[in-house]
Amino acid sequence: MMQSKNQKYMFLLFCLAPTFIVFAIFTVYPLLNGLYLSFFDWSGMSGTKDFIGWDNYKQLLKDPIIPKTIWHDYFLVVTKVVGIMVLSTYFAVALTQLRIKEAPFYRIVFFFPNIMSVVIIGILWTFIYNPDLGIVNSGLKAIGLGSWAEPWLGSPDWALASLVLPSVWAGIGLFMLMLMGGIMNVPKNLYEAADIDGAGSWQQFWRVTVPLVWPQIKTSILYIVITTLNGSFIIVQVMTEGGPNNATQVMGSYLYQQAFKQFHFGYGATIGVMILILSLATVLILQFLLRKEKVEY
Amino acid sequence: MRFGKILVKTGMRIPLIAWSIAVIYPVIWMVLGAFKSNGEIFASPWALPKSFSFDNFVTAWTDFNIGSSFLNSIFVTMLGTVLCLVFSLPTSYAIERIRFRGSKVLFNVYLSAMMIPMVLGWIPLFFLLMKLHMLNSLWGLGVVYAVTQIPFSVFILTSFMGTVPKELEESAAIDGLSPYGILFKIVTPLVLTGIITVSIMNAITFWNEYFMALIFLQSDDQYTLGVAMDLMNQKAQYTNAWGALFAGLTIAVIPIMIVYGIFQRHIVKGMTEGAVKG
């Protein structure tokens, strides 16, 4: 290379500095400032910002809504992981192993909800659950199960569970694609060998497919967990706003209400810190639980 | 044996068909609802509309401000997508192709930002934007959008940079091309697929974003589609303007359908690669 050292540094600066500066201003600073704010009592622009030490954290431990929000978030995490993983694994296996002619059709259709906005999905499903004109209740009535009809999102017993279906509906496609990618990379001769050894398709699935696709399964689970803990409040905000009577309140929606509706910005930041700690801890624990020797093939 | 196999294959198809219906039917229901009057929606939620009138679309577009929100969304999406590319392309090139101390660390900083819940940062970000007079501004929102997608974009673009042959850069350097020339005249055209993939992914994300828009935008003339739809949904609960709401939803979904139709391969590739490595 003909260029001088100086030229190289100028070019590096040109490439890296502007990006890192905006990243520092709009991502790193807000996160650090969020930690800092969690030690203050602050109602926003005009109010005084009082340093109160750990008081927000003490309040957090005593707040009766907080355990509910945590439980609701983890309920969504578990049901979504189970629902999405079971269905998307089934679809991925069926679409790769069965040689179905119309497989591309399913792939395109199943992925479509993944690119729809959560607002649209939320509003659409609010309609689907609508007690009077929704598909669910009118469908139940049509097949003679009218007594099972519920005001799904308005019922404290059913509201949280009702949020699972739209999330699974919107999530399947992506994980199906990831798993399909993994399955297509499994060498064909492994299945042939398993066939010769007399392994049935169920055994082949558990002994060949699952171990070899484990990296994709692990990534999918972690991805669902992270996106749920960090983003479940969006569907909650659109469909129920945390109601009825906090029955669907999750950590993020509670943060939003405390900070931007009640103007407890310091306490909101404390909830944010809790979300950060819980999601990082959950990811670390899961990574430990899901670790497995890498399979060579 | 053959008969058994056919039976199994048919049996395994049932869930596939069922799920296709579960995905397609609500969307069709929504689009058909956009053509129905309120009376029709209540009387027969399952039936086809009696006549295809566009009244609901007109109501949604003008009375519920979906038209101006649509344009706002287009503006923010384009601004965010272009800015994000301007920031991530040179950084990805430097990280992947130039030897310097700390390149791994920098890459990992961006990578770990993808795991951190940004919701904690939104409170300070709100006040920062206020200080910078970027609150309630589509320009401000576009800048924030661009920055939030830098980690993902750097991540995907570096993997595309890795596929450019080193020899091409070397011979261009020997011919006297500056590093800037190499980046913009040689490398950029070669990673065009990556640029398109990342830009579509980002554009879809920005088009769909709702919560930051809800927090950072405050007057309805600035609202993007997500916020406007949410507001419309709340209004429709009181006014029973269901047909118009269905029409609004349909308007908001149409661009996504078109983009998906055209770029289906790119989207699928970007989604899978981004997710697998993340």
Side-chain angles (χ1 to χ4, degrees), chain A residues 117-120 122-123 126 234-241 256 261, chain B residues 64 66 69 210-211 214 223-237 245 249:
Chain A
S117 143
V118 181
V119 181
I120 310 273
I123 298 175
T126 309
I234 302 178
I235 193 100
V236 167
Q237 192 62 33
V238 177
M239 292 184 73
T240 62
E241 293 188 58
Y256 171 71
K261 295 260 157 165
Chain B
F64 287 94
I66 295 301
S69 307
Y210 155 71
F211 226 92
L214 175 71
Y223 282 170
T224 52
L225 264 178
V227 190
M229 288 306 311
D230 193 31
L231 190 71
M232 191 179 172
N233 185 28
Q234 284 163 23
K235 279 190 202 161
Q237 309 284 344
L245 186 52
L249 291 171

Side-chain angles (χ1 to χ4, degrees), chain B residues 11 44 69-70 72 84 109 127 176 251 260 262:
Chain B
S44 46
S69 307
F70 193 87
N72 290 344
C84 189
V109 167
F127 292 101
I251 294 171
Y260 189 49
I262 300 173

Side-chain angles (χ1 to χ4, degrees), chain A residues 8 19 102 108 115 138 169, chain B residues 13 22 46 87 99 208 260:
Chain A
K8 184 186 161 184
T19 315
E102 69 277 18
I108 293 170
I115 57 162
S138 55
W169 186 80
Chain B
R13 266 197 177 115
W46 298 73
F87 287 127
R99 284 167 162 271
N208 287 339
Y260 189 49

Side-chain angles (χ1 to χ4, degrees), chain B residues 53-126:
Chain B
S53 109
F54 283 87
D55 293 353
N56 286 329
F57 289 92
V58 176
T59 311
W61 187 266
T62 49
D63 296 359
F64 287 94
N65 279 326
I66 295 301
S68 66
S69 307
F70 193 87
L71 299 177
N72 290 344
S73 274
I74 289 182
F75 176 77
V76 170
T77 301
M78 282 173 42
L79 178 67
T81 309
V82 170
L83 270 182
C84 189
L85 199 62
V86 168
F87 287 127
S88 344
L89 189 74
T91 291
S92 319
Y93 175 68
I95 286 179
E96 176 66 30
R97 277 306 159 90
I98 304 176
R99 284 167 162 271
F100 66 96
R101 232 179 294 166
S103 67
K104 252 232 134 83
V105 176
L106 187 65
F107 185 65
N108 282 326
V109 167
Y110 285 128
L111 202 68
S112 47
M114 298 203 312
M115 307 260 283
I116 288 177
M118 272 312 292
V119 56
L120 171 62
W122 288 354
I123 296 170
L125 202 50
F126 177 84

Side-chain angles (χ1 to χ4, degrees), chain A residues 124-137:
Chain A
L124 181 58
W125 277 84
T126 309
F127 271 125
I128 293 175
Y129 285 129
N130 187 298
D132 307 314
L133 44 96
I135 302 178
V136 177
N137 277 358

